[in-house]
Amino acid sequence: MAEILVEHGIDPLPLATEAGLTPDVLHDPWSTLNGYQELAFQRLFWRATQQIPGIGFLTGLRYSLIAYGPLGLAVLVSRDVTEGLCTFAAMQGLGYALFEYDILMKDDIAVTFLANDDYVPAGLMEFLHERLLGSALTFFRDMRQANLPVRLIESRLDRPRGWMGLEDRWQAEIVYRAPRSCFHFADGVGALPLPLANPSLAENYRRLCQNMLDTSPAHAGIVKSVYQLLMQSRGAFPNASEAAQALNVSERSLHRKLAETGTSYRQALDNVRLRRARELLDSSDLPMSDISDRLGFAEMASFSRFFRRVAGVPPSTYRKSGLRIVAASS
């Protein structure tokens, strides 16, 4: 988004500062930002660019599948289109997306890719649905290394027929002002093999993704909101007071509602920290001290005690015997 701002003569630095970001986050690939900052920057981006025709679509075109990390790789090496899409839908929590994606099936073959916007803020609804028309185009093309035949697209956007010439880009009919945004595939598309299919790699990447997700809950309501907030955080995690403020409830109500579901804020934070720790231990060679810093621990010993308490083994033991060895030996 920062690159697109520059290309249209808009300085991204004031927007980044307003979103609570430091300038280095725009240039350093190892910089991190939390979910609040990302959401704030998206809002500011849309405010600054919505007068540019098709800016959401053009932004979406840059969302390559490989940018999803292990999740993108798991999709790329899947057996066929259906397996790739189902893998993405099952592991979509790794993408920290505001949409919830679902795959509609017929005879075990994917026929429709559906985007649920129940959790999209009202002020970003138009931007994200417009961006979806670009990001899905890139996603499907990357997956198959060629255009993926789509027979019909339904979009919640209020656009005229022929807008931005998207019918030609997609080579499909687009129906605007639909009750939902979804992509209906041509007959047989779900069974198309993927050119980079590799069963062993697919299994290993799915296991890696599952390992990253295994502490993510399936609760609804306040518990789901808390986990979404924590999983979208980059850098320091919010404390209970900050989380309550972000969720528009009092801290006392937050603790009470979590207790009613049999959990607590500390338990939620521990689960997300464990997931993030496993992700870093499995997919990077970062020193333990760096991982400890990224998870917000004051010292390495605190991180080691935490990991042993929630995972049952020290982090060094987990790394030596974990999934990374399975992947390396395949």
Side-chain angles (χ1 to χ4, degrees):
M1 286 189 285
E3 291 172 355
I4 289 174
L5 289 171
V6 171
E7 290 170 9
H8 287 85
I10 302 172
D11 185 356
L13 291 179
L15 276 64
T17 301
E18 188 175 347
L21 301 172
T22 56
D24 63 313
V25 80
L26 302 179
H27 309 292
D28 182 359
W30 292 103
S31 293
T32 61
L33 65 160
N34 62 42
Y36 312 125
Q37 295 166 330
E38 182 177 3
L39 192 59
F41 191 77
Q42 287 191 50
R43 287 191 171 108
L44 293 167
F45 174 88
W46 180 234
R47 187 183 71 186
T49 62
Q50 58 186 295
Q51 78 283 359
I52 302 172
I55 192 65
F57 169 73
L58 297 173
T59 303
L61 289 176
R62 304 201 182 192
Y63 281 66
S64 65
L65 183 53
I66 200 70
Y68 289 92
L71 175 57
L73 293 170
V75 173
L76 281 171
V77 297
S78 294
R79 180 182 67 252
D80 54 30
V81 170
T82 293
E83 182 178 286
L85 292 175
C86 289
T87 294
F88 180 79
M91 311 289 184
Q92 61 185 288
L94 299 178
Y96 306 105
L98 291 172
F99 283 126
E100 283 194 350
Y101 299 105
D102 194 14
I103 312 300
L104 304 186
M105 311 279 283
K106 182 178 180 181
D107 298 328
D108 296 326
I109 299 295
V111 294
T112 298
F113 183 79
L114 172 66
N116 183 336
D117 60 15
D118 287 348
Y119 297 102
V120 174
L124 283 174
M125 192 72 73
E126 183 178 4
F127 170 61
L128 293 180
H129 278 283
E130 184 177 305
R131 189 175 69 180
L132 176 63
L133 287 174
S135 61
L137 181 62
T138 300
F139 182 101
F140 294 153
R141 184 176 295 158
D142 285 354
M143 182 169 59
R144 190 158 177 261
Q145 308 291 294
N147 287 336
L148 196 68
V150 173
R151 64 176 179 82
L152 175 67
I153 297 171
E154 296 181 71
S155 174
R156 292 198 61 184
L157 291 173
D158 184 3
R159 296 289 192 273
R161 183 178 178 85
W163 178 73
M164 292 287 293
L166 292 194
E167 287 85 354
D168 290 335
R169 289 176 181 258
W170 272 99
Q171 298 178 4
E173 179 185 357
I174 301 178
V175 176
Y176 293 106
R177 295 176 292 280
R180 59 184 184 174
S181 284
C182 54
F183 304 81
H184 303 280
F185 303 125
D187 290 343
V189 163
L192 291 174
L194 298 185
L196 300 180
N198 185 308
S200 296
L201 283 178
E203 176 62 21
N204 280 333
Y205 281 127
R206 281 194 294 270
R207 290 180 63 189
L208 173 58
C209 289
Q210 187 59 53
N211 180 60
M212 295 161 67
L213 280 171
D214 62 3
T215 56
S216 297
H219 299 291
I222 190 67
V223 178
K224 182 172 184 178
S225 296
V226 167
Y227 272 88
Q228 286 181 328
L229 182 68
L230 291 171
M231 289 189 293
Q232 290 172 359
S233 296
R234 288 293 182 263
F237 290 102
N239 58 33
S241 176
E242 293 167 337
Q245 183 177 6
L247 297 173
N248 295 315
V249 298
S250 69
E251 184 176 354
R252 183 176 180 179
S253 294
L254 176 65
H255 288 303
R256 176 176 54 80
K257 290 180 179 180
L258 289 174
E260 288 173 354
T261 66
T263 189
S264 67
Y265 189 77
R266 179 183 177 181
Q267 185 176 343
L269 180 58
D270 281 354
N271 285 341
V272 174
R273 267 181 164 164
L274 176 60
R275 171 195 151 171
R276 191 76 55 79
R278 285 175 168 172
E279 175 183 342
L280 293 170
L281 290 167
D282 285 333
S283 61
S284 79
D285 293 313
L286 286 173
M288 293 293 178
S289 58
D290 287 359
I291 294 177
S292 175
D293 289 343
R294 290 192 178 202
L295 295 174
F297 290 98
E299 55 185 8
M300 246 289 295
S302 298
F303 167 56
S304 295
R305 286 194 297 271
F306 158 79
F307 196 91
R308 182 190 289 270
R309 173 171 60 83
V310 296
V313 294
S316 57
T317 302
Y318 174 86
R319 171 173 269 178
K320 289 177 182 177
S321 60
L323 191 61
R324 60 193 357 258
I325 295 177
V326 175
S329 64
S330 62

